[in-house]
Amino acid sequence: MAVCVASVSQKELVGVVKSALVKAWRERWSDMHWGVQLRQILTTFPQAGETTDLADVLLQQALVGPNPNKIVLSFLRHAVCTHVIRYSAVFDSIVKYEDINKHYCVVGLIGLAEEFLASLSFDCGAEAALNLAKSLQSLSYWFLTCILKRLQDNKQMAESLEVMECAVSALQRALQQPSVCSLLYIARMEESDTYRLLEQAEVDIRGTLSQLPQGYIPNPLKEKISETFSLMDSVQEIQVDNKPVLDLSDQPVCSSLNGLVSLEAVLNPTNNIQPFVEQLFVIKKLQKMSRSDLCRELFRACYMGLIDSTGKHEERKWAAFTFLKLPQVLIRVKNSFNGRDFSEDLEKGIDDLLNYTPILDLTDTKCNCDCLQILLGECHKHGLLSELQWKKLMQRRTSESQKTHPVEPPIQQPSASLILRAEPTVTSIMKTLDADFSKNQDALLGVLSHMSCGKSFELILAAAAATGNLQGFSVKLVRLNEFAKQSSGETGKGALNRSLLFDISFLMLCHITQIYGTEILSCSADCMESFFVKWAVRCLPDEGKYKSIDNSGPTDSLKLDSLLSQMYVGGEIKTSLQKWNEVCMNAPFAVQEVLFAWEQGVIPAENVKVTLDNVKSRMCCLPIVVSAWLCSYINTVGEEGRAKPLSMLQQLLKTIQPDPTNQYYNERSHLMVSVLRKMTSDILPAAQTLSQEHLIPAKTLPNDALARCLRTVFSQGWLDLTSLHTLEQILNLCGSDWLCDQLVRHMLEGKQPIDLTRALSMAFSAFHIDLEPLTLSLLLHTLPTLLQSSHRIHLLIDPRGYTLAKLCVMCISSAYTAKTAHKDCVGYARRGRKRSRKDVDLEDLEESESRPSKQRRIQDPAEITFHLDGYNLDLITPKEDGEMSPTYDTRDPLNKALVNLFRMLNAVSKDSQVGPRTSFTVAFIDEAIRCGPKFARYILQFMPPQMMSHLMKMMPEAFSDQHVLNGCDLSSRVGRKVAAKAICQNTRYHRRKSSAKAADTASLT
């Protein structure tokens, strides 16, 4: 019944309006008189007036004859100008006109549309703004339809040319307005079908023009049509300005990339290549770097690392990264740019590097070799450079080099040569370890013993890590150790060989895990149940952390007594019919008995010394397991109880005269002492350790050590080895929350933009030491403190505020990339980090949640929250009926942190007072958009739709139309409404500003 009444009311209203039009035409009413009468009519039919298309009614009356009725069109203009009829309604009525043969009516409609486009009003709400966008797209398609039909009409050429001229002119007038282009961009997402028709019309026009004879269409008109199409193409490419998030063009060193390379080479040598390459691409995108600049900075960072590490134990790591891993990185970079010649970019990057002659000469002098020649040779070998490019670059290098050639050859071989020779050695050894262990054990022992002496083992490990073979090599050693632990009934020579294989493989694995972490083995499914991995996880001290003592007794007291008798004075460790895993597990209990007896005065110190010498007289793995237990024991007793176990440790470290019949003892004892020194240096108090460089002195506060480190780093603009290890130790000691606070505070101490930019770049590099935890600390701890604390509000005042915003979006982008790129890759798990309270809470939450990690939002708004004070996702991503809801990973800590952050920023946007918090919020959104569409979508996915509008009301010039289009979620209808409204809001502000400026200028004149 209500529908029927409404229909009757509409018909009555249309009849009344038509009658008024006839009377107005007869009596020649003025536009104002007509407007008054029309308003009176609409007040009589209030409900019908909202639904009746008055523009249709007026246009139908105006286009009855062959010529448009100028009086009725004048009435229509007045109704539109007085906002009785919306512009979108007129455009919708115009596009319905299909009688293309009525020449004057078509020209009149095009002229009317152009007139309205010139005076387009943007004073409308969200729904009306979106309707205006759709109407503009339909009108553009109608213009193209008029052009196409007239091109296909060969009869009345003069009339056709006039229609085409008018249509092109009107379309150009629309496309020359940035606000109209922005609305058309939104309309493309709202009505994709109409947009496809518009594209097809453009294709048809181009095709028709190409088939017409020369001179059939005047060249000026052809050029105008081409210009129009260029304007239409630009609508599809609306982007923010090309300004980088981090601009280091005026800095001498690209410190962000330099720091990332240092971290990868020194702290992450076992990392897969692809995650590192992905982080390089993040920096390239954030800094708008060219591919040649990326190559140049990669090479320069390696050269600086080689210089800095000369004479230090990281020298081999840097050599392995530079000469083995860097070519593989460049291959991945090349493969990511399919269809483009990467060799030219690489050649240009190296050619730019040759401008830094002093650093090249210094590197060659430090490394005792021509580093560039070796590196270019590797690039040529992997097909990255042609032979001609290689020779051209070397010719320039030779002509510009200023280094003096040494008179005598170097005493020791260069690290570059050694590491390149170690690469094929790794492959050869891995093939040897693939053989049957039960056969030819003498040869296998010879290979392993030769490999473990001197620096050979270090070089082999560095080469294996750089080429991605370290885990495979370690797994093969574990298999060998598993083979050798169990007796197969052999005696004599066979039993001795088996004991030696167990011993040397155990020592090698200890050395590997001390350098690269137990994660290199514990993450492998093939090793998780092996004896060594279980022992290492439970007993081997790791990065200064001791393990808890196993207080339970041995499983077999008879075997313990037997082992104790072999260790004690006059005994000898037997090798035949031994299960070496049981010996290793019982040895600490045997030494515990000796220690307790010594403490009780039952045995003298001399007997203890002889017992410990027996422990290390034949099997070098036994001192390792005993020392691991002693280290843990020392850290559980008081100061008065440490003297005797410490004396036992020192005795185990002393060298003894080996038995000449004990094969390969010197090689094994060398490796044993290396492991023991590393173990005791990490685990004992500073006063009881052997000499080692401590980057944080015992009597220095971490705050002072960090301040000194950051002053050095920020002033020099790159991350040296000492600073790198200092930051890592402070992170291990103080945790991510504290370090993040201090990094941000020191970063914001600068006052000049150039100083803040350098500090920002170095802080961003430092965050990569432990990227995700530090990013979470920034979002969940540091940033909320700054936003909510009144006494730290000065740190949000620009330029500090937008510097902090840059750090936030850069860290989020990098953390997101690290999380999503190649999840199947086992990344580097930073060693030594204590779990923060935040980590524990997140893990407890995950364990308590019974829902799956990814789920779709359902009807009840209370069903899905991120457990952050009940903050509801429905408030962030409202959807209209029929739209699909997004899927969120509700367990992802980074998502939770972003939800929490936008809850605070949304509160800031609704604050009535504009201040540093507001400007920081604007800067955060602005910098997120500059990161590019991929990162912007992720960072802003939890931004409430109305938040940008609130900010634009408080700060009208905060966002351009391009920022609005890139910041709003145009995949949802709500997002398109918000974007359309914001664009109209922007246009109104700029028009008022221009009018005020014009008025001021007029008053002055």
Side-chain angles (χ1 to χ4, degrees):
M1 181 63 70
V3 175
C4 295
V5 171
S7 177
V8 171
S9 299
Q10 289 181 18
K11 291 180 180 179
E12 290 180 357
L13 176 60
V14 170
V16 172
V17 170
K18 287 182 178 180
S19 299
L21 271 177
V22 173
K23 185 176 182 181
W25 178 75
R26 287 176 178 172
E27 299 178 3
R28 297 298 190 265
W29 287 356
S30 65
D31 292 343
M32 187 174 297
H33 187 190
W34 158 254
V36 172
Q37 294 298 319
L38 182 60
R39 286 182 181 274
Q40 290 179 355
I41 294 171
L42 292 177
T43 55
T44 309
F45 302 91
Q47 294 182 350
E50 296 176 0
T51 57
T52 304
D53 196 344
L54 295 177
D56 259 355
V57 176
L58 294 176
L59 278 179
Q60 286 174 8
Q61 298 301 312
L63 302 175
V64 172
N67 295 308
N69 190 315
K70 294 182 178 180
I71 295 178
V72 178
L73 290 182
S74 177
F75 291 163
L76 178 60
R77 290 190 189 94
H78 184 270
V80 172
C81 292
T82 55
H83 303 292
V84 175
I85 299 177
R86 294 189 179 277
Y87 284 87
S88 58
V90 178
F91 294 152
D92 288 340
S93 298
I94 289 175
V95 301
K96 295 176 183 177
Y97 191 75
E98 298 179 350
D99 193 354
I100 204 72
N101 294 321
K102 296 175 70 172
H103 170 70
Y104 294 107
C105 288
V106 173
V107 172
L109 285 178
I110 294 174
L112 182 68
E114 184 175 4
E115 183 181 339
F116 285 148
L117 287 170
S119 61
L120 198 59
S121 171
F122 294 89
D123 190 10
C124 49
E127 187 69 42
L130 187 58
N131 289 335
L132 178 60
K134 294 189 293 183
S135 300
L136 287 170
Q137 179 172 261
S138 299
L139 184 64
S140 301
Y141 172 61
W142 186 76
F143 286 148
L144 292 181
T145 303
C146 291
I147 296 172
L148 179 61
K149 288 184 177 180
R150 285 300 183 175
L151 280 173
Q152 296 170 346
D153 183 11
N154 299 325
K155 297 178 181 178
Q156 299 174 337
M157 197 58 203
E159 291 183 355
S160 296
L161 290 176
E162 184 182 3
V163 170
M164 286 189 285
E165 286 278 2
C166 293
V168 170
S169 175
L171 189 52
Q172 282 189 351
R173 180 180 289 276
L175 296 173
Q176 286 168 356
Q177 300 181 55
S179 53
V180 172
C181 291
S182 300
L183 291 174
L184 287 174
Y185 187 86
I186 297 172
R188 183 183 68 169
M189 308 290 289
E190 176 69 13
E191 289 190 343
S192 56
D193 293 341
T194 305
Y195 178 73
R196 282 193 290 270
L197 291 174
L198 190 146
E199 283 186 314
Q200 186 59 48
E202 179 183 345
V203 171
D204 292 342
I205 291 173
R206 291 181 185 273
T208 305
L209 284 173
S210 65
Q211 295 174 2
L212 292 175
Q214 186 72 23
Y216 189 79
I217 301 294
N219 287 331
L221 179 58
K222 273 188 177 182
E223 292 176 0
K224 286 184 69 175
I225 293 175
S226 298
E227 291 173 5
T228 304
F229 288 156
S230 298
L231 290 173
M232 291 177 64
D233 293 339
S234 66
V235 173
Q236 306 173 30
E237 302 171 357
I238 293 180
Q239 297 177 352
V240 293
D241 56 79
N242 204 34
K243 183 179 177 182
V245 178
L246 179 61
D247 186 5
L248 298 179
S249 57
D250 55 351
Q251 300 288 339
V253 178
C254 182
S255 46
S256 57
L257 190 143
N258 182 282
L260 181 64
V261 172
S262 298
L263 288 165
E264 185 72 10
V266 178
L267 299 185
N268 305 349
T270 60
N271 247 13
N272 288 289
I273 293 176
Q274 192 59 37
F276 173 66
V277 172
E278 295 292 339
Q279 291 300 323
L280 289 179
F281 288 154
V282 172
I283 291 179
K284 177 181 180 295
K285 187 174 187 64
L286 296 178
Q287 296 183 201
K288 299 292 191 292
M289 295 174 67
S290 65
R291 290 194 295 175
S292 60
D293 288 344
L294 178 67
C295 296
R296 181 196 66 220
E297 292 303 326
L298 275 173
F299 277 78
R300 187 156 64 140
C302 290
Y303 272 80
M304 294 172 70
L306 290 171
I307 294 171
D308 189 34
S309 64
T310 302
K312 303 174 184 176
H313 73 274
E314 288 91 350
E315 181 179 1
R316 288 181 289 274
K317 289 184 178 180
W318 269 111
F321 181 87
T322 303
F323 301 107
L324 294 180
K325 200 168 189 177
L326 181 59
Q328 299 299 322
V329 170
L330 294 174
I331 290 173
R332 298 293 181 96
V333 174
K334 173 186 175 181
N335 293 339
S336 65
F337 297 101
N338 294 326
R340 298 172 61 181
D341 188 4
F342 179 72
S343 63
E344 292 182 3
D345 293 315
L346 181 58
E347 181 186 10
K348 184 178 185 307
I350 299 174
D351 193 60
D352 292 341
L353 178 72
L354 294 178
N355 296 325
Y356 302 94
T357 303
I359 192 174
L360 299 179
D361 291 343
L362 181 58
T363 308
D364 290 352
T365 304
K366 291 271 190 181
C367 298
N368 295 322
C369 64
D370 192 334
C371 293
L372 187 65
Q373 183 178 16
I374 297 174
L375 194 50
L376 292 185
E378 290 298 305
C379 291
H380 173 61
K381 183 175 75 174
H382 290 92
L384 295 167
L385 288 173
S386 66
E387 186 173 357
L388 181 62
Q389 291 171 319
W390 177 19
K391 291 181 178 179
K392 179 182 175 183
L393 291 169
M394 282 308 305
Q395 184 178 5
R396 181 188 169 189
R397 168 64 182 146
T398 304
S399 63
E400 295 180 357
S401 175
Q402 300 174 1
K403 65 181 178 181
T404 57
H405 297 280
V407 179
E408 298 180 356
I411 299 175
Q412 60 181 9
Q413 292 188 5
S415 295
S417 301
L418 292 173
I419 206 71
L420 289 174
R421 285 166 51 189
E423 182 188 10
T425 304
V426 172
T427 306
S428 175
I429 293 172
M430 292 184 70
K431 288 182 179 179
T432 302
L433 291 173
D434 283 332
D436 187 354
F437 298 139
S438 62
K439 300 177 182 178
N440 202 10
Q441 294 182 358
D442 289 329
L444 182 58
L445 275 172
V447 171
L448 295 178
S449 300
H450 178 73
M451 179 178 67
S452 63
C453 63
K455 293 183 179 180
S456 299
F457 193 41
E458 299 287 346
L459 286 168
I460 289 171
L461 292 182
T467 55
N469 292 319
L470 182 60
Q471 187 179 50
F473 174 67
S474 304
V475 169
K476 294 179 188 298
L477 283 177
V478 169
R479 290 174 181 167
L480 174 61
N481 187 260
E482 285 289 295
F483 162 79
K485 76 179 182 181
Q486 191 75 28
S487 172
S488 57
E490 78 279 12
T491 58
K493 181 68 173 176
L496 179 61
N497 285 344
R498 186 173 60 82
S499 65
L500 293 177
L501 287 173
F502 180 88
D503 198 36
I504 197 167
S505 60
F506 188 94
L507 293 170
M508 286 181 169
L509 288 168
C510 284
H511 190 69
I512 291 171
T513 53
Q514 281 187 329
I515 297 176
Y516 299 102
T518 55
E519 300 85 4
I520 197 73
L521 291 171
S522 61
C523 64
S524 172
D526 297 332
C527 301
M528 293 177 64
E529 298 301 320
S530 65
F531 159 71
F532 177 81
V533 172
K534 288 181 177 179
W535 174 84
V537 171
R538 186 171 58 185
C539 303
L540 184 64
D542 183 27
E543 290 289 324
K545 294 190 298 182
Y546 61 87
K547 306 297 175 67
S548 61
I549 299 177
D550 191 358
N551 292 317
S552 60
T555 56
D556 192 334
S557 58
L558 294 177
K559 291 182 179 180
L560 175 60
D561 292 340
S562 173
L563 180 60
L564 190 56
S565 64
Q566 294 175 47
M567 289 181 176
Y568 201 55
V569 180
E572 181 182 357
I573 303 294
K574 298 178 181 179
T575 58
S576 59
L577 301 176
Q578 287 278 24
K579 295 182 179 180
W580 290 111
N581 58 320
E582 294 182 356
V583 173
C584 289
M585 296 307 296
N586 287 325
F589 295 112
V591 172
Q592 176 180 272
E593 295 296 329
V594 175
L595 173 61
F596 290 170
W598 186 24
E599 290 177 337
Q600 297 299 322
V602 176
I603 59 174
E606 184 62 28
N607 287 5
V608 175
K609 175 181 177 300
V610 174
T611 301
L612 293 176
D613 287 344
N614 283 341
V615 169
K616 59 183 178 180
S617 62
R618 185 161 295 278
M619 295 291 286
C620 293
C621 63
L622 296 182
I624 302 294
V625 297
V626 169
S627 298
W629 180 87
L630 285 171
C631 287
S632 299
Y633 177 78
I634 288 171
N635 281 278
T636 59
V637 297
E639 190 69 29
E640 68 284 351
R642 293 183 178 182
K644 284 184 170 60
L646 176 60
S647 176
M648 297 176 78
L649 269 180
Q650 292 169 341
Q651 181 62 33
L652 288 170
L653 276 166
K654 292 179 181 178
T655 57
I656 61 172
Q657 189 65 31
D659 184 351
T661 62
N662 196 352
Q663 284 184 295
Y664 307 115
Y665 184 81
N666 288 333
E667 293 84 350
R668 290 183 287 126
S669 65
H670 171 78
L671 205 52
M672 175 193 73
V673 171
S674 173
V675 173
L676 288 178
R677 284 178 177 172
K678 172 74 173 173
M679 185 188 298
T680 56
S681 179
D682 280 345
I683 212 66
L684 296 180
Q688 299 176 350
T689 58
L690 300 175
S691 60
Q692 183 195 28
E693 180 184 3
H694 288 276
L695 298 173
I696 308 176
K699 295 183 180 180
T700 302
L701 293 174
N703 194 24
D704 297 335
L706 180 63
R708 184 169 59 252
C709 171
L710 292 180
R711 278 197 299 270
T712 302
V713 168
F714 289 169
S715 61
Q716 69 187 16
W718 63 285
L719 201 59
D720 59 279
L721 278 174
T722 303
S723 302
L724 177 60
H725 287 303
T726 301
L727 288 171
E728 187 192 26
Q729 288 186 15
I730 290 176
L731 179 57
N732 292 340
L733 179 65
C734 302
S736 59
D737 285 353
W738 185 87
L739 179 59
C740 181
D741 267 349
Q742 296 301 313
L743 280 173
V744 170
R745 184 173 67 82
H746 286 283
M747 180 189 74
L748 299 179
E749 283 180 351
K751 297 180 180 178
Q752 299 299 325
I754 188 172
D755 297 330
L756 287 168
T757 300
R758 187 189 305 115
L760 166 65
S761 181
M762 294 312 307
F764 179 55
S765 296
F767 266 71
H768 281 82
I769 293 178
D770 205 4
L771 183 59
E772 186 175 0
L774 283 169
T775 302
L776 292 175
S777 294
L778 176 64
L779 300 179
L780 292 172
H781 177 72
T782 304
L783 204 51
T785 302
L786 293 175
L787 288 170
Q788 296 171 357
S789 175
S790 57
H791 68 276
R792 300 182 72 179
I793 194 69
H794 65 281
L795 295 177
L796 296 178
I797 299 175
D798 290 334
R800 295 186 180 96
Y802 64 72
T803 300
L804 180 59
K806 288 175 183 287
L807 177 66
C808 292
V809 300
M810 289 162 62
C811 290
I812 295 170
S813 300
S814 294
Y816 170 66
T817 301
K819 180 188 68 171
T820 57
H822 301 273
K823 293 182 179 180
D824 55 334
C825 293
V826 179
Y828 174 82
R830 191 178 62 77
R831 304 167 58 200
R833 181 174 70 90
K834 296 179 180 179
R835 291 196 311 165
S836 65
R837 182 69 242 173
K838 176 174 68 272
D839 295 333
V840 176
D841 291 341
L842 289 173
E843 290 179 12
D844 290 344
L845 177 61
E846 289 183 7
E847 291 175 1
S848 64
E849 288 177 342
S850 58
R851 296 187 301 274
S853 60
K854 289 190 177 182
Q855 55 184 333
R856 191 168 299 280
R857 199 164 53 85
I858 57 178
Q859 292 182 355
D860 185 359
E863 285 295 327
I864 292 185
T865 69
F866 272 42
H867 300 279
L868 292 169
D869 298 336
Y871 193 51
N872 200 300
L873 293 182
D874 277 354
L875 302 176
I876 308 173
T877 56
K879 298 291 179 181
E880 296 196 352
D881 293 340
E883 284 191 300
M884 297 293 292
S885 298
T887 301
Y888 295 109
D889 186 351
T890 58
R891 292 185 179 181
D892 180 27
L894 195 56
N895 279 349
K896 296 179 181 182
L898 285 173
V899 169
N900 187 70
L901 174 63
F902 274 105
R903 180 183 58 178
M904 289 184 295
L905 296 182
N906 191 39
V908 170
S909 71
K910 295 179 180 179
D911 194 350
S912 59
Q913 184 177 2
V914 177
R917 294 184 182 90
T918 314
S919 60
F920 169 79
T921 303
V922 171
F924 180 84
I925 298 173
D926 182 31
E927 297 300 335
I929 293 170
R930 290 186 192 280
C931 290
K934 174 185 174 182
F935 296 134
R937 279 195 299 270
Y938 178 76
I939 296 172
L940 302 178
Q941 63 178 322
F942 300 115
M943 181 176 70
Q946 299 299 331
M947 182 173 161
M948 187 173 281
S949 296
H950 291 151
L951 290 170
M952 291 174 67
K953 290 177 182 177
M954 299 170 70
M955 301 175 67
E957 291 184 296
F959 303 110
S960 65
D961 289 353
Q962 290 80 7
H963 283 87
V964 171
L965 294 176
N966 285 274
C968 293
D969 180 16
L970 299 185
S971 63
S972 70
R973 197 163 195 276
V974 173
R976 293 192 289 270
K977 283 183 180 180
V978 171
K981 181 183 177 182
I983 288 168
C984 293
Q985 189 176 335
N986 250 350
T987 307
R988 291 197 304 272
Y989 170 77
H990 289 300
R991 283 186 177 180
R992 286 196 297 268
K993 186 177 178 181
S994 300
S995 300
K997 186 176 180 180
D1000 292 342
T1001 304
S1003 63
L1004 291 175
T1005 57

